[in-house]
């Protein structure tokens, strides 16, 4: 398992008014390497769970339990921005 030395998480959220759904993308910069997710359904801080899943899939030491993984992500530097258009994700 890879160890996390440095981690920054950036989320972008877009609200689809016609159906009332929220989507997001997540950008993770871990140990100087940048990874970006595709467009994913989820509102609020769900981008942190997406970050945990991305890191887990990349071989980083992330707890299997989703609650523990989410709690771990909240301890690192993170921020989210709401955008007006889907193409801004």
């Amino acid at each position: 398992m890879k160890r996390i030395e440095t981690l920054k998480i950036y989320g972008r959220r877009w609200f689809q008014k016609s159906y009332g759904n929220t989507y997001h993308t997540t950008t993770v910069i871990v140990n100087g390497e940048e990874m970006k997710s595709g467009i994913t359904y989820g509102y609020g801080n769900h981008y942190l769970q997406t970050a945990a899943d991305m890191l887990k899939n990349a071989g980083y030491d992330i707890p299997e339990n989703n609650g523990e993984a989410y709690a771990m992500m909240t301890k690192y530097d993170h921020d989210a921005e709401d955008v007006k258009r889907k193409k801004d994700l």
Side-chain angles (χ1 to χ4, degrees), residues 2 6-7 14 17 21 23 26 35 38 46 48 51-52 59 63 66 74 77 80 82 86:
K2 300 178 191 176
T6 61
L7 177 62
W14 169 68
K17 293 178 186 174
N21 295 318
Y23 296 90
T26 304
M35 298 185 283
H46 194 268
L48 294 173
N66 285 339
T74 63
D77 186 24
D82 293 320
K86 183 178 181 180

Side-chain angles (χ1 to χ4, degrees), residues 28 47-57 62 69-70 73:
V28 172
Y47 69 94
L48 294 173
Q49 187 63 49
T50 301
D53 293 340
M54 291 168 59
L55 291 166
K56 196 181 306 181
N57 291 337
I62 305 296
Y70 175 82
M73 294 299 105

